Amino acid sequence: MKVLLIGATGATGSFVLKYLLANEQITEVVIFVRRSTGIVNDKLTEIITLFDELATHQSVMNADVAISCLGTTLKQAGSKKAQWLVDYEYQLKFAELCKLSNVSHFILLSSLGASAKSKIFYSQMKGALEEAMKALQFQRLDIVQPSLLIRPNSDRLGERWSEKLLKFLNGVGLLKTYQPIKVQDLGFLMHQMVFNKTAGVYVWTLKDLLKKLQK
């Protein structure tokens, strides 16, 4: 099985890549990155490119499954326009190229609360992307909507405080909907999704993800 992946150097994407390469049923993984991961593996094809130049690599996009873990924060991007470019336009362009290359299965890392009608910019952006992905009509589309992600050794102060607060509230039975999830667990679950073959659109909520982890 051949899998395409963008966002392979991110917190979740790096674990998705790790599990894909370790899985014997995966024969080839093609990643599109701005900088090398430094990983040496016979199954890995690493294409270093700018994301606005993805169309020049369409010849290698004939795969069974494509996964997008691409994303940035408003702080990292510097503006809403720049964040929209990464979180919406680059991912949609990647999906369109995959569709043209007859990829039948697409897996999208989205977010809890994603809604094109949301008044919150981030949630509205994620919701708009989900709707655009659905319009492409992949044979199967998996949309993953986690809550707060727990990154190993995170240097984001706000993220660490949010994690502590949510764990406390979850511990007293509050805000279970926003229970944090470890990126290594999310990466494992997303890599498993490449083997899902039943046609349709599947939205994986936090509750769904946590239930799968318990199995």
Side-chain angles (χ1 to χ4, degrees):
M1 178 182 289
K2 180 179 178 180
V3 181
L4 308 177
L5 172 64
I6 60 170
T9 59
T12 302
S14 61
F15 280 102
V16 173
L17 177 59
K18 174 184 176 181
Y19 291 121
L20 288 174
L21 294 176
N23 195 307
E24 294 181 355
Q25 296 180 70
I26 306 299
T27 56
E28 183 178 0
V29 181
V30 179
I31 61 173
F32 303 87
V33 290
R34 291 180 298 173
R35 63 184 186 278
S36 176
T37 61
I39 298 172
V40 178
N41 188 294
D42 290 340
K43 293 196 291 188
L44 179 64
T45 299
E46 188 176 73
I47 298 177
I48 299 176
T49 184
L50 298 175
F51 290 117
D52 54 9
E53 297 177 356
L54 284 174
T56 63
H57 305 289
Q58 189 175 352
S59 62
V60 300
M61 292 187 181
N62 55 326
D64 301 289
V65 186
I67 305 173
S68 178
C69 294
L70 195 63
T72 187
T73 63
L74 183 58
K75 182 178 180 180
Q76 290 174 326
S79 68
K80 289 182 177 179
K81 182 178 180 181
Q83 188 178 22
W84 181 274
L85 179 64
V86 174
D87 278 55
Y88 182 89
E89 294 185 20
Y90 285 163
Q91 294 191 86
L92 180 57
K93 184 62 178 178
F94 175 63
E96 290 172 341
L97 292 170
C98 290
K99 182 68 176 181
L100 288 173
S101 297
N102 297 315
V103 174
S104 61
H105 183 185
F106 198 94
I107 302 171
L108 173 68
L109 177 57
S110 186
S111 176
L112 176 72
S115 172
K117 297 180 180 179
S118 176
K119 294 182 180 180
I120 300 172
F121 171 72
Y122 185 79
S123 297
Q124 188 272 333
M125 176 175 61
K126 291 297 186 182
L129 179 61
E130 288 186 6
E131 295 305 314
M133 292 291 187
K134 292 175 184 177
L136 292 177
Q137 297 184 324
F138 285 96
Q139 183 174 327
R140 179 177 177 111
L141 173 63
D142 287 284
I143 297 174
V144 184
Q145 297 180 335
S147 180
L148 178 71
L149 301 179
I150 303 176
R151 298 167 172 82
N153 305 314
S154 175
D155 59 356
R156 298 178 184 177
L157 182 60
E159 189 174 278
R160 296 202 305 270
W161 278 107
S162 295
E163 178 189 342
K164 290 179 181 179
L165 178 60
L166 283 175
K167 282 186 174 180
F168 170 76
L169 293 173
N170 294 160
V172 295
L174 298 175
L175 297 182
K176 287 291 186 180
T177 304
Y178 299 92
Q179 185 173 336
I181 184 170
K182 295 179 180 179
V183 288
Q184 52 265 49
D185 289 338
L186 182 58
F188 178 75
L189 292 176
M190 289 187 68
H191 116 276
Q192 285 188 319
M193 290 178 187
V194 303
F195 304 108
N196 295 336
K197 295 303 176 186
T198 306
V201 176
Y202 296 83
V203 179
W204 299 91
T205 65
L206 177 65
K207 182 178 180 180
D208 298 324
L209 297 171
L210 295 176
K211 185 181 295 185
K212 286 181 69 67
L213 284 175
Q214 294 172 357
K215 292 182 178 180

